[in-house]
Amino acid sequence: MQNITPCLWYDDQAEEAARFYTSLLPNSRITGITHYGDAGPGTPGKVLTVAFELDGRPFVALNGGPLFPFTEAVSLQIECDDQAEVDRLWSGLMEGGGEESQCGWLKDRWGFNWQVTPRVLLDLVADPDRAKADRVFAAMMQMRKIDIQQLLDAARG
């Protein structure tokens, strides 16, 4: 089977971003760094790509210049076990100039979009009791960072 590796395009902060992301998530590491050579188009010796893993999954960060900024059309969802994990990851990803959105979404300081999602939210919105699922969904729509207790309260009605 072929490997599929997401590539994240940065202006010139690929290594900084990859080091930051790998510091936040367990089972994460930098696996390789390449540099521009004399053939360009970047400055020889500057970082071209950073290969890294987030929770064991491969990614590449590319220093490709300012041509293609991130949009909300692509995000990474982090499934969290509890409120402490939601709070830690939310605070970490917001560090240095992140921007809150709604429903557990945020934009980090490089403009990349993340969904910090407790697993219980995914379970509750998929509940076969549609009235319960709708109450939870409505509660989530009012949140920025997800509050698990508020979701559970909404589920109970």
Side-chain angles (χ1 to χ4, degrees):
M1 176 160 188
Q2 296 187 3
N3 292 329
I4 297 174
T5 303
C7 180
L8 309 179
W9 182 299
Y10 294 84
D11 183 358
D12 65 355
Q13 311 92 346
E15 184 175 7
E16 178 186 0
R19 290 195 185 284
F20 179 72
Y21 301 150
T22 57
S23 75
L24 286 176
L25 297 167
N27 193 29
S28 300
R29 65 192 177 112
I30 303 291
T31 60
I33 298 176
T34 65
H35 297 84
Y36 280 103
D38 292 332
T43 304
K46 292 204 77 161
V47 171
L48 170 61
T49 64
V50 180
F52 63 105
E53 294 177 355
L54 296 179
D55 196 21
R57 291 172 182 87
F59 289 84
V60 171
L62 166 72
N63 282 330
L67 297 174
F68 302 112
F70 295 120
T71 74
E72 286 79 1
V74 175
S75 63
L76 294 179
Q77 182 180 44
I78 306 171
E79 292 183 19
C80 302
D81 289 327
D82 55 32
Q83 191 66 50
E85 189 174 25
V86 168
D87 294 346
R88 181 183 71 77
L89 290 169
W90 187 271
S91 295
L93 289 166
M94 289 290 295
E95 184 180 301
E99 180 182 324
E100 290 184 347
S101 188
Q102 67 180 57
C103 307
W105 289 55
L106 65 84
K107 192 176 289 192
D108 68 25
R109 65 181 141 193
W110 299 283
F112 190 74
N113 296 278
W114 296 84
Q115 299 173 57
V116 182
T117 308
R119 284 187 183 91
V120 68
L121 170 62
L122 301 173
D123 294 339
L124 290 170
V125 298
D127 195 290
D129 178 343
R130 290 314 313 153
K132 177 196 279 187
D134 287 348
R135 288 191 307 271
V136 171
F137 191 83
M140 178 210 53
M141 291 297 292
Q142 302 304 310
M143 298 178 191
R144 290 191 178 275
K145 179 177 71 172
I146 301 298
D147 182 309
I148 293 173
Q149 187 59 54
Q150 288 182 25
L151 297 176
L152 294 173
D153 292 346
R156 282 191 287 278

